[in-house]
Amino acid sequence: MPSVVPTIIQPSLAAILALPPGISAETPETLAAWFGARGEPSFRARQVLDAAWRTGAAGPDEITTLPAPLRAELAAAFRWDTVADSGLQLSDGNATEKALHRLGDGVVIESVLMHFPAGPGHRERNTLCISSQAGCAVGCPFCATGELGFGRDLLTSEILDQVRSAARRVATRGRRLTNIVFMGMGEPLLNLDRVLEAVEALNDPKRFGLGARHITVSTSGVVPGIWRLTALGPQFTLAVSLHAARDPLRDVLVPLNRRWPVSEVVEAAREHADATGRRITYEVTMIGGVNDTDLDAQAMAELLRGDLAHVNLIPMNPVAHTPWTASPMPVIERFAATLRRAGVETTIRHNRGQEIGAACGQLAADHAGAPTPAVVAHRRERLIVQSAAALRGERSREPVPTGVGAGVGAGAATGASEGGG
Ligand code: SAH
Ligand code: SF4
């Protein structure tokens, strides 16, 4: 178990950066330099990386190939684990497992592990859904993380330690993680420097060694971030949370749309697909009577006609404090048929983990304390008014969410990354 500060304080990146850096954010080069500075050979770096990523060692003390004084120095310079596992919840006959992780400042985030057995033509999959931020500034009203608001960016090590934690768990069952999706809490493209560092570690054969096509990063549509990814070339599958093809509705469902409208998001995604040759995945959370109308299906079909794209239609997971529920299955099937008639590849996904609230952020929201009935009533009322106006085609006059500032994800420095110890 890592040594974490047990008291809950305000989420603060500055406070967390004052703690020793997490070992998982170290690269072969930074670790070799750390040993080099102590007059040690560079193969020591490999011994540490193997222990951190492969053997599941619980701490430097278990690296028996390292001399004891070095183990002690390593233990003082780095945090071996930056996430403390503070609870597991199972559902779907134990095939879905939600983990709560307590971070060094007491903030709680989550990851979700999903087991898909082998079937005709495909092997078994163990997919881990990880968080990139504590909370989220985007504020999509059907998403429990959005309701939490923004806490802070996660460190590279905090992103990666969710993976190490799940990898250790599945290893005890004789399994391994096959897919990683950045679809937990937070908007990955608003913490892009660290997300890219994490993806590099996941890809690196000396560290986690997972192929790029087994990693998916999902964005609500941070256009400068998508441009930046396009310039870097294929790194992973890009998923875009579309939810609606018409601006008035998307303004309400994805408030970021007021800054980067749907046409710009899809144009950026199209350029990404053209430049990388990799198909874009569009995610559509199906909300009954809100974004599942024939008009919306037709608008989406026109928007995506002829694109290198795949659409996933996902029934909305119930989230407390919204007036909405999932679209009925026949409505989703009709929506899918409209998209397919336009030549848009479409899959209907069945959501996992409903009974444990595995919808993004839901469980951590439970722990954040419930809002008062008056606040909930006001929120519902506002959403009903807003979505009704959107369905009439009126664009939102609400401001762009705060915390989604200029230049985000566009290469601007997003703050210090973890030090090298
Ligand atoms: N912020 C990023 C990634 C995290 S959210 C994004 O929005 O893409 C990951 C996915 O969960 C998104 O597609 C989001 O729309 C979806 N999601 C959020 N709340 C949901 C709910 N209540 N039911 C179903 N899907 C939900
Ligand atoms: Fe943030 Fe994604 Fe949830 Fe929207 S759906 S609030 S972008 S985590």
Side-chain angles (χ1 to χ4, degrees):
M1 278 287 122
S3 55
V4 292
V5 182
T7 45
I8 296 188
I9 56 170
Q10 277 298 98
S12 155
L13 204 52
I16 211 78
L17 282 168
L19 298 175
I23 195 75
S24 56
E26 297 304 310
T27 67
E29 295 74 30
T30 59
L31 267 184
W34 188 86
F35 280 110
R38 283 153 186 82
E40 290 290 327
S42 59
F43 68 77
R44 295 280 183 221
R46 203 181 56 237
Q47 293 173 329
V48 173
L49 289 173
D50 280 351
W53 288 102
R54 296 193 194 287
T55 63
D61 270 354
E62 292 185 9
I63 315 175
T64 47
T65 48
L66 276 190
L70 267 183
R71 284 186 233 161
E73 252 194 278
L74 198 67
F78 299 98
R79 286 185 293 156
W80 193 254
D81 203 344
T82 58
V83 307
D85 291 333
S86 59
L88 278 186
Q89 294 208 352
L90 301 171
S91 73
D92 299 320
N94 295 352
T96 302
E97 185 177 297
K98 179 157 190 156
L100 290 185
H101 307 285
R102 189 173 294 278
L103 308 183
D105 55 355
V107 166
V108 176
I109 57 150
E110 64 177 39
S111 64
V112 182
L113 176 65
M114 289 161 286
H115 174 70
F116 300 92
H122 65 88
R123 297 185 183 170
E124 84 161 25
R125 274 182 297 134
N126 296 294
T127 300
L128 182 70
C129 174
I130 56 174
S131 297
S132 57
Q133 297 180 313
C136 183
V138 179
C140 306
F142 56 86
C143 168
T145 305
E147 192 183 346
L148 281 179
F150 181 66
R152 68 167 169 86
D153 287 332
L154 297 192
L155 299 179
T156 307
S157 54
E158 290 167 335
I159 297 172
L160 289 169
D161 288 348
Q162 297 167 62
V163 177
R164 285 169 69 219
S165 161
R168 285 193 298 266
R169 260 183 287 137
V170 294
T172 63
R173 300 163 204 160
R175 294 184 178 141
R176 51 180 207 89
L177 295 177
T178 58
N179 298 75
I180 310 258
V181 299
F182 284 75
M183 292 190 180
M185 302 169 80
E187 169 47 57
L189 269 50
L190 292 177
N191 190 17
L192 189 50
D193 288 340
R194 297 189 184 88
V195 165
L196 287 172
E197 280 179 7
V199 167
E200 193 186 319
L202 295 175
N203 267 172
D204 184 357
K206 291 189 180 129
R207 287 177 278 170
F208 195 61
L210 186 64
R213 61 186 62 250
H214 299 282
I215 301 171
T216 299
V217 175
S218 178
T219 180
S220 57
V222 180
V223 169
I226 300 175
W227 291 337
R228 194 173 152 201
L229 295 178
T230 305
L232 288 174
Q235 312 267 320
F236 41 70
T237 299
L238 182 64
V240 173
S241 293
L242 188 59
H243 307 312
R246 299 187 296 134
D247 279 320
L249 189 54
R250 200 165 185 276
D251 283 350
V252 174
L253 298 182
V254 189
L256 205 67
N257 196 71
R258 298 168 206 153
R259 181 179 181 93
W260 294 293
V262 67
S263 56
E264 287 180 25
V265 174
V266 171
E267 183 55 35
R270 210 170 266 151
E271 283 168 12
H272 187 271
D274 289 347
T276 61
R278 299 281 286 273
R279 190 173 77 159
I280 300 289
T281 302
Y282 287 102
E283 311 277 323
V284 183
T285 297
M286 300 297 290
I287 311 173
V290 173
N291 64 348
D292 58 0
T293 66
D294 286 346
L295 192 64
D296 285 295
Q298 280 150 16
M300 200 170 287
E302 286 318 310
L303 182 68
L304 300 181
R305 190 187 284 278
D307 280 10
L308 186 59
H310 186 105
V311 175
N312 285 328
L313 303 179
I314 306 143
M316 182 189 150
N317 252 321
V319 166
H321 316 148
T322 74
W324 301 328
T325 52
S327 307
M329 201 41 81
V331 174
I332 300 182
E333 278 160 7
R334 195 177 149 99
F335 199 100
T338 304
L339 291 177
R340 289 183 187 130
R341 269 199 304 279
V344 181
E345 252 182 65
T346 305
T347 307
I348 299 174
R349 301 256 176 236
H350 299 275
N351 46 16
R352 274 292 188 93
Q354 287 208 356
E355 70 221 60
I356 52 160
C360 148
Q362 201 164 329
L363 209 134
D366 291 345
H367 283 241
T372 64
V375 169
V376 172
H378 176 71
R379 180 181 153 83
R380 282 168 171 266
E381 194 67 24
R382 220 177 97 230
L383 288 177
I384 290 168
V385 170
Q386 281 183 358
S387 53
L391 286 168
R392 289 194 302 271
E394 292 166 22
R395 285 207 67 174
S396 166
R397 281 189 289 276
E398 302 237 337
V400 174
T402 50
V404 186
V408 277
T414 54
S417 134
E418 281 155 277

